[in-house]
Amino acid sequence: MQSMLRRLPNARKICRTIGISLLAGGLFAQPAFSQSLEDIIAKGGCPDCDLRLRELRGLKLENADFSEAILRETDLKEAELANSNFREADLRRTELERAILSGSDFTEASMRGVDMEKADLARSRLKEADLRNADLNETNLAGSDLSGADLRQASLIRSDVSGALFRDAKMENVDFERSIMVGADFSNARLKNADLDRASAQGANFDGADLSGVRLSSANLTGASLRDTKLGDALLRHTKLAGADLTGASGLSPDRIIGACGDEKTKLPYGITLEPCT
């Protein structure tokens, strides 16, 4: 049966999507390609398997392959799966709290509502992943690539995204409160109405980003680049902008700059002034 499916273009994906197995020529409403825990460990993963709702808490398997697998609402809390392959996998509402996933590949994965609180995702690839409404609070994403990802309504409170790439990402209403964002790249990202209160974003790149309505209360943007950003209705309350470059930034209202500071190296749009940082 498996060899027949391999000869049919997209057949395996179709079976997985509609949740059926083709067995002995009949149709049965059962998960497709399910595997036992022993099989998963022995084979080093389970690509294209249906593992939804499975109890896999604490699974230890480095360099595992779960590409295109269905892991929807699966319990993988505290799993150790560093350097693993989750490309195009279905991880919607999957429980991955405190999991070790550093160096893993989640490219184009479906991860809406995933719970990755306090997980280690350092140096991982999440390009074009769907992370809407994801719980990424206190998650380590340092050095990861989330270019083109969809993070709308995601929560990254107290997360570490230093050096991470968010180029062209959709990030409306994302919550980065108290996060470490040093050297991160948000160029051309959509951060409308995002919360960056008390964020540490020294040296971060926001060039061309939409920061309309963003909250930057007590945020540190020392040395950050905000060239050609949209800042309409943004709130800069006690924001540190020493050495920051806001050349070409538009929409910034003096009425919404309250106690923000800069220095002689700060570059500001015409008509905008800041008090000196002390």
Side-chain angles (χ1 to χ4, degrees):
M1 193 64 215
Q2 295 281 349
S3 61
M4 183 179 74
L5 287 173
R6 282 194 292 269
R7 291 196 297 269
L8 296 173
N10 300 318
R12 297 177 73 185
K13 286 187 179 181
I14 294 170
C15 289
R16 183 186 63 192
T17 301
I18 63 176
I20 63 172
S21 294
L22 301 178
L23 299 173
L27 296 177
F28 300 91
Q30 296 185 15
F33 313 118
S34 61
Q35 300 286 329
S36 69
L37 178 60
E38 292 74 17
D39 287 339
I40 293 170
I41 294 173
K43 295 177 181 178
C46 197
D48 208 19
C49 292
D50 190 335
L51 300 170
R52 75 185 75 194
L53 295 170
R54 291 288 297 275
E55 293 285 335
L56 300 174
R57 183 179 297 209
L59 176 65
K60 296 182 180 180
L61 196 62
E62 193 166 353
N63 298 304
D65 186 0
F66 290 99
S67 56
E68 300 187 36
I70 297 179
L71 292 156
R72 194 184 311 167
E73 297 182 281
T74 300
D75 186 350
L76 281 162
K77 292 178 182 177
E78 300 180 347
E80 297 181 19
L81 298 164
N83 304 308
S84 294
N85 182 2
F86 293 92
R87 291 179 67 96
E88 299 184 48
D90 185 347
L91 291 148
R92 284 175 286 178
R93 297 184 298 280
T94 303
E95 298 179 21
L96 282 158
E97 298 100 309
R98 300 181 185 272
I100 298 174
L101 300 157
S102 53
S104 293
D105 189 352
F106 294 88
T107 301
E108 297 184 6
S110 179
M111 305 171 72
R112 187 169 188 173
V114 70
D115 189 346
M116 289 179 153
E117 183 178 0
K118 298 182 180 179
D120 184 0
L121 285 152
R123 304 175 307 283
S124 292
R125 294 173 296 284
L126 297 102
K127 295 182 69 173
E128 299 184 18
D130 183 355
L131 286 154
R132 286 174 291 171
N133 305 105
D135 183 349
L136 297 164
N137 294 330
E138 299 186 59
T139 299
N140 182 7
L141 284 159
S144 294
D145 189 351
L146 295 95
S147 300
D150 191 341
L151 289 130
R152 286 175 288 176
Q153 305 284 347
S155 182
L156 293 98
I157 297 171
R158 296 183 184 273
S159 62
D160 183 354
V161 299
S162 52
L165 304 178
F166 293 92
R167 297 169 185 158
D168 300 301
K170 301 173 185 176
M171 307 179 74
E172 289 91 341
N173 298 294
V174 71
D175 193 343
F176 273 115
E177 185 176 355
R178 297 178 182 269
S179 291
I180 301 171
M181 308 165 73
V182 177
D185 186 349
F186 296 90
S187 55
N188 298 310
R190 290 160 36 184
L191 285 149
K192 190 173 182 178
N193 298 318
D195 187 346
L196 275 70
D197 286 350
R198 300 183 183 277
S200 298
Q202 299 94 315
N205 181 5
F206 294 93
D207 290 353
D210 186 351
L211 297 169
S212 304
V214 71
R215 292 179 54 86
L216 290 162
S217 294
S218 299
N220 189 345
L221 276 75
T222 299
S225 183
L226 296 94
R227 297 174 64 91
D228 301 315
T229 53
K230 297 178 182 178
L231 287 162
D233 293 322
L235 177 61
L236 281 67
R237 188 191 299 271
H238 304 297
T239 308
K240 293 182 179 179
L241 291 162
D245 186 355
L246 285 80
T247 303
S250 62
L252 194 58
S253 171
D255 294 338
R256 298 183 65 79
I257 301 174
I258 305 168
C261 69
D263 62 9
E264 67 281 359
K265 296 181 180 179
T266 303
K267 298 179 181 179
L268 298 168
Y270 179 78
I272 299 297
T273 60
L274 300 173
E275 61 186 56
C277 293
T278 56

